[in-house]
Amino acid sequence: MAKKLYIETVGCQMNVLDSELVVGSLRRQGYELIHEATEADVILFNTCSVRQHAEDKIYSALGRLRSHKQRHPGKIVGVLGCMAQKDQELIRRRAPHVDIVCGTGQLARLPELIAEVEKTGRPQLALSLDRQEASRLDVERSFASYDPLREPSMRPSPYQAYVRIMIGCDKFCTYCIVPQVRGPEQSRPPEHIAAEVRQLAGEGCKEVTLLGQTVNSYKHDRADGRRERLADLLARIHDTAGIERIKFITNFPRDMSDDLLDAVRELPKVCPYLHVPVQSGCNEVLKRMKRLYTVEYYRDMLARCRERVPGVAISSDFIVGFCGESEASFARSCDLVATAGFKNSFIFKYSPRPGTKGDELYADDVPEEVKKRRNNELLAIQNKVSLADHLSRIGEVVEVLVEGPSKTALKQEPGHGPIQLTGRTRTDHIVVFEGNPRLTGNTVSVRVAEATAFTLFGIVETSEQVVHDHASVAQTLAPAQAKYGQRLGLPVL
Ligand code: SAH
Ligand code: SF4
Ligand code: F3S
């Protein structure tokens, strides 16, 4: 009988991709993916350390498994990813029933670690070197980019895929643990990336999102002495047959070059959507965060993005309650959100991370209730801005890549005929509309009719020719049908 695998993932898109790849490689070894931890033979947690809350979630999940593991000592429990790299042996002290601790740079070794636990019953640790304790080259080597073969059935959507173009980060913002847990910044060779995009396109993938902690810092020095940057990489993969959309996240404000913006404007498949986190609207705070730019620089960059890429949508991240953030500093963040016109902002309460400069140098002096209030206030301003942006789009016809049934439709009883579908525009706006589930994976034109702060609601304008193209729909829909078909009672094509 096939061995059963369970995996729980927290954290960013990098982790979502890592989990997809881990599951793909274990499936090739005969594992079957299931959705109930206690039924599995191998139980994995792919973890995040960016805020305390993400770590607490994993430690409590591990706590809940303790007695289960005592009753079934043959089951294997593994902690993967950022928290594994950060906490190392501490994980086994807090949760002695953990068999495997495997850092972000060691995921390729996971099958071998599982086999070793099965054979010896002894715990296995696979970690990359500490950045402070070895030479740059040795540390780089210990953080290997994890890029095994892709498997279409493991993706959340067969039509969309993440593609890693770089690993690690060298920016060392003072609040952030990522440079420690993901290691030094290293770009993958462009030929490898292009080959992966071709493979994905061959499997029916239409949209690729290139991933990097600071994706616009991508640089690869070629043997002929030329340096390839993100703009060159976009041009290189642009003509891949079958790929319709290319997105990339996350951008660092200082590395938003004119060349890159020109590439976004000129390459039609590259979507006019830029996620460029600012973190704070106050120069003093930005300085303590070591973000390497001022608010004025950031505003100029925004203006440059909009001038060079007409119609571009820009989103941002903010941290509230960072060390020394006064009411006046916070008011500057409010002012930036009110005036910058972000499509949306992800807002986080500062969470001190032991091992970062911020934690070492500054006191976490903003009380939790104040962080909470500032978080809510900033969110309320952003929601107003998002709503205004969304309302201004009513009447527009937008191009939507259909991702599948909306959350509401998934909760409803399966039936026939149109259901509520969801997808995204080229500017990353979420659109919900009624349509035949067979539209999943197709690009359709939708006229926006209504809007909230989070969603555009619309009516499909061009479904006819798409739904009637049965042969290609059948081909592209097979994996989605396997995933949603049963639930939705789809007619077999
Ligand atoms: N590499 C990306 C994002 C990394 S983490 C970038 O540089 O933009 C994602 C977001 O988490 C960050 O943009 C920041 O807003 C938030 N974040 C990082 N460390 C944090 C901390 N210690 N406390 C609260 N939020 C944090
Ligand atoms: Fe963290 Fe800053 Fe690197 Fe982003 S750029 S991952 S916030 S250190
Ligand atoms: Fe978290 Fe690691 Fe991503 S710390 S945000 S999962 S890089």
Side-chain angles (χ1 to χ4, degrees), residues 10-15 47-51 54 81-83 104 177-178 181-182 213:
V10 290
C12 65
Q13 291 90 349
M14 272 297 175
N15 264 17
T47 61
C48 172
S49 280
V50 84
R51 285 170 287 278
C82 295
M83 194 179 92
T104 53
I177 196 70
V178 171
V181 295
R182 289 270 169 187
Q213 293 300 340

Side-chain angles (χ1 to χ4, degrees), residues 405-453:
S406 71
K407 278 188 201 141
T408 318
L410 280 174
K411 279 188 221 131
Q412 282 161 358
E413 282 301 304
H416 294 282
I419 60 161
Q420 209 179 54
L421 296 171
T422 180
R424 281 183 194 253
T425 65
R426 285 166 44 79
T427 46
D428 205 55
H429 287 85
I430 299 169
V431 185
V432 166
F433 55 96
E434 294 257 301
N436 191 309
R438 284 190 274 176
L439 289 173
T440 301
N442 285 287
T443 306
V444 296
S445 296
V446 176
R447 186 175 294 278
V448 181
E450 270 180 75
T452 66

